[in-house]
Amino acid sequence: MLILNQIPKTEKQYTDYSVTVNGNAVGLNEVRVSAIPYNTWWQGIQRPLDQTELAAMLKFEADEPVTVTVTYPKAPQKVVVRPMRSRVEVTIEGCTATFVLPSSGAYTVEADGIHNALHVFFDPIKSFEEYTKGAKTVLRYGAGVHCVGRVELFSDTTVILDRDAYIYGSFLAINAENVTICGYGVIDGSLEERVTEDHLIPQDFHAPIPYEREELLDFLTRERVLNGCIRFYRCKNVRVEGVIMRDSSTFCLTPAQCDGIFIENVKTIGMWRYNSDGIDLFNCRNAVIRGCFLRNFDDCIVLKGVCGWDDLDMENILVEGCIIWCDWGQSLEIGAETNAPAFHDILFRDCDCIHSCTVCCDVQHNNRADVYNVTFDNIRCEYTVYQMPKLLQERMDIPYNPNAPLRHPRLMAAPIYNEGRYSEDGLNGSTHDIVFKNIHAFTDGDGIVLPPSIFVGVDDEHTVSRIRIENITLDGRRLSAEEIELKTNDYAFDITVV
């Protein structure tokens, strides 16, 4: 069975190429994405549109393989379907590319490079009615466009988005339990504009974030904290499943000091604005992030310790089966904010970094936490000949230089920074007992050189130690210890390469 989505007339559609699914012509959602890896510290104005481009999003549901055809305005030389491990073969005849997607999941279709890509969200057929059982409140958003502002959710609430629902606004829960947001609809954050007085996140360098709901709401208003798409503050047993989040003004989905988080088959797309992270956990415990697709202009999946929430460890976190396209920043990351007593028992497993910018697998440490028992296992990192130089824009009148020196993303990193950034205490912690195993790099052309992986501490008391690196491969060939180039200093030691 195949279920195609219907796009409301008010939604912008992408028309630079056309697509069929099992012979049926389908509409494509227009999404704005980053065109170049060019970033800057917030200057009080939003990112110029000439640093972005339009791309396409296709979503449907099926319980069987589907045949997709893409007809381009001119004949492509090469069309690649990612992730590469899906091994989808493409047949090109003139201007048309044809391929079969074997099963549900997220895919990108890239013709002659990474620009103007097609993002395919092939969802399993599913009813979300099971999540209404036991709920005291059920909110349903049917097909069509809904401008909702900020919707506050309370305990024992389930929100279901119809596959053809487009929600302009955000969802917020404070001190709530048993909250679910599910369905295959779109949550769009584009109506929220960021200005100079706004803050990305609720943080307080001097005191804990207010606990009581009314006090926290007042704090959010007083500090002009942006809403993003979804926020959970001090909640228990929360679930987000199936939804697409689009064009957030800040971090897209943020649980802060939450216990019991389940995020599955969530997609982030259309993230072109400054600091438009994907999923950011602040000082959370007992979380699962599974089977998601994230394309973001900044970090994609990041575990942070943030001032004001920092009396709680980050612990017992599983990230698995996710597909990452990082247009700037880190793909799978701890930090850089690590304000917490400890970060521990964290596993990143079976993920595909189809495009990265800075580091694929990163344990970045900028604050006081004791970071330990972190594992990256079976992470597939794709490297492309179409990679562009990552640059920081020093002034807004300086254009991007595509001919600047190119460094491909680092495969692994575990640095401690002695900067005191993201907190006022200026304290550092240590990183130890970290495992990188079965990390596989794949290239799509000749001449790609992997840069060194970095492991550096600060001083004798703030070190990086007991690091195990096991089974690192490049295009299927296992690399020797000598071939895995490591950049270290005197405060990084006991690094074992197997």
Side-chain angles (χ1 to χ4, degrees):
M1 174 184 274
L2 170 66
I3 302 175
L4 299 175
N5 294 93
Q6 303 299 316
I7 301 176
K9 292 181 179 180
T10 54
E11 289 294 302
K12 294 181 179 179
Q13 296 195 37
Y14 188 87
T15 58
D16 284 4
Y17 45 77
S18 60
V19 175
T20 68
V21 179
N22 285 358
N24 301 284
V26 293
L28 303 175
N29 287 95
E30 178 184 282
V31 291
R32 184 171 296 280
V33 297
S34 177
I36 51 177
Y38 203 29
N39 203 352
T40 190
W41 297 103
W42 176 249
Q43 303 288 315
I45 57 173
Q46 194 46 266
R47 192 174 181 210
L49 290 183
D50 62 8
Q51 297 181 12
T52 72
E53 66 186 20
L54 298 177
M57 178 181 79
L58 166 65
K59 63 193 190 85
F60 59 87
E61 299 153 63
D63 56 7
E64 59 189 12
V66 299
T67 299
V68 179
T69 66
V70 184
T71 302
Y72 296 96
K74 64 178 182 179
Q77 299 299 307
K78 184 178 182 181
V79 177
V80 176
V81 176
R82 300 181 191 271
M84 293 170 67
R85 55 107 174 141
S86 63
R87 300 183 183 277
V88 173
E89 296 184 0
V90 181
T91 300
I92 299 175
E93 295 184 358
C95 295
T96 298
T98 303
F99 50 90
V100 176
L101 299 180
S103 59
S104 60
Y107 303 85
T108 66
V109 185
E110 303 165 27
D112 296 330
I114 62 178
H115 296 292
N116 310 112
L118 171 62
H119 305 76
V120 181
F121 302 142
F122 175 173
D123 287 312
I125 296 174
K126 179 172 181 175
S127 169
F128 294 93
E129 291 301 315
E130 61 183 288
Y131 300 130
T132 65
K133 296 177 181 178
K136 294 180 180 178
T137 302
V138 178
L139 301 179
R140 299 179 186 272
Y141 293 91
V145 175
H146 308 262
C147 294
V148 301
R150 187 177 73 184
V151 178
E152 186 176 359
L153 306 177
F154 299 91
S155 292
D156 304 305
T157 295
T158 294
V159 179
I160 299 181
L161 278 60
D162 184 271
R163 66 174 62 90
D164 297 323
Y166 290 78
I167 312 301
Y168 283 82
S170 65
F171 294 93
L172 164 72
I174 298 174
N175 300 339
E177 298 185 19
N178 309 319
V179 175
T180 295
I181 302 172
C182 61
Y184 293 140
V186 174
I187 302 172
D188 185 290
S190 63
L191 298 184
E192 182 175 52
E193 295 293 337
R194 178 183 175 186
V195 298
T196 302
E197 294 79 13
D198 292 332
H199 290 159
L200 288 172
I201 59 177
Q203 73 174 13
D204 192 329
F205 287 120
H206 305 286
I209 302 294
Y211 188 87
E212 296 299 326
R213 172 180 164 274
E214 290 297 333
E215 292 180 4
L216 180 50
L217 284 171
D218 289 343
F219 177 85
L220 298 175
T221 301
R222 183 174 66 253
E223 295 297 318
R224 296 184 57 131
V225 176
L226 294 165
N227 295 310
C229 290
I230 297 175
R231 294 289 182 268
F232 295 115
Y233 297 137
R234 294 196 180 101
C235 293
K236 294 183 179 180
N237 302 325
V238 295
R239 172 184 292 268
V240 183
E241 183 176 340
V243 300
I244 297 170
M245 289 174 285
R246 184 177 68 182
D247 197 0
S248 179
S249 65
T250 175
F251 301 172
C252 188
L253 195 170
T254 301
Q257 236 182 46
C258 292
D259 187 349
I261 305 157
F262 193 84
I263 301 169
E264 183 173 25
N265 190 22
V266 160
K267 308 92 169 172
T268 64
I269 188 65
M271 306 297 173
W272 59 274
R273 299 196 248 182
Y274 295 126
N275 304 108
S276 56
D277 287 19
I279 299 172
D280 292 49
L281 302 188
F282 296 176
N283 302 84
C284 290
R285 59 176 58 152
N286 303 318
V288 175
I289 302 171
R290 176 177 293 145
C292 297
F293 173 92
L294 299 103
R295 181 176 181 181
N296 294 83
F297 184 67
D298 216 319
D299 305 327
C300 286
I301 297 180
V302 54
L303 313 183
K304 295 179 180 289
V306 175
C307 287
W309 310 96
D310 53 333
D311 57 343
L312 189 70
D313 287 358
M314 180 77 73
E315 61 178 313
N316 192 25
I317 311 295
L318 171 64
V319 177
E320 69 174 352
C322 293
I323 298 172
I324 306 297
W325 182 329
C326 185
D327 284 311
W328 177 274
Q330 276 57 239
S331 295
L332 302 170
E333 180 190 15
I334 286 176
E337 298 95 319
T338 47
N339 298 282
F343 279 49
H344 61 95
D345 298 295
I346 297 167
L347 173 59
F348 296 88
R349 179 174 65 194
D350 192 28
C351 293
D352 293 275
C353 298
I354 63 173
H355 291 293
S356 297
C357 187
T358 308
V359 182
C360 299
C361 306
D362 196 16
V363 182
Q364 192 175 182
H365 200 346
N366 206 89
N367 304 112
R368 73 179 194 276
D370 186 23
V371 178
Y372 63 95
N373 288 356
V374 178
T375 298
F376 293 84
D377 183 11
N378 196 24
I379 309 298
R380 297 166 292 273
C381 306
E382 301 182 18
Y383 287 77
T384 179
V385 295
Y386 299 106
Q387 190 80 26
M388 294 177 289
K390 173 191 173 182
L391 299 175
L392 190 66
Q393 188 168 14
E394 299 294 343
R395 295 199 322 265
M396 296 306 293
D397 60 344
I398 299 177
Y400 178 76
N401 178 13
N403 299 313
L406 172 65
R407 178 182 66 76
H408 285 276
R410 301 189 194 280
L411 201 59
M412 303 169 287
I416 301 177
Y417 298 111
N418 191 20
E419 298 177 351
R421 187 178 291 167
Y422 312 119
S423 73
E424 291 189 345
D425 55 25
L427 299 177
N428 284 117
S430 292
T431 300
H432 58 96
D433 297 288
I434 311 297
V435 176
F436 298 88
K437 67 178 181 180
N438 305 316
I439 310 297
H440 307 295
F442 298 93
T443 65
D444 64 6
D446 297 329
I448 295 175
V449 177
L450 301 186
S453 291
I454 292 182
F455 299 88
V456 293
V458 170
D459 54 36
D460 290 332
E461 295 182 354
H462 307 100
T463 61
V464 173
S465 64
R466 298 199 295 276
I467 309 297
R468 182 179 177 87
I469 300 171
E470 178 180 345
N471 189 28
I472 310 301
T473 70
L474 175 61
D475 290 327
R477 182 179 66 85
R478 186 165 180 165
L479 299 180
S480 67
E482 293 73 23
E483 291 174 303
I484 303 171
E485 187 177 357
L486 303 181
K487 181 179 179 182
T488 65
N489 66 4
D490 292 340
Y491 311 114
F493 52 87
D494 196 4
I495 300 175
T496 304
V497 179
V498 180

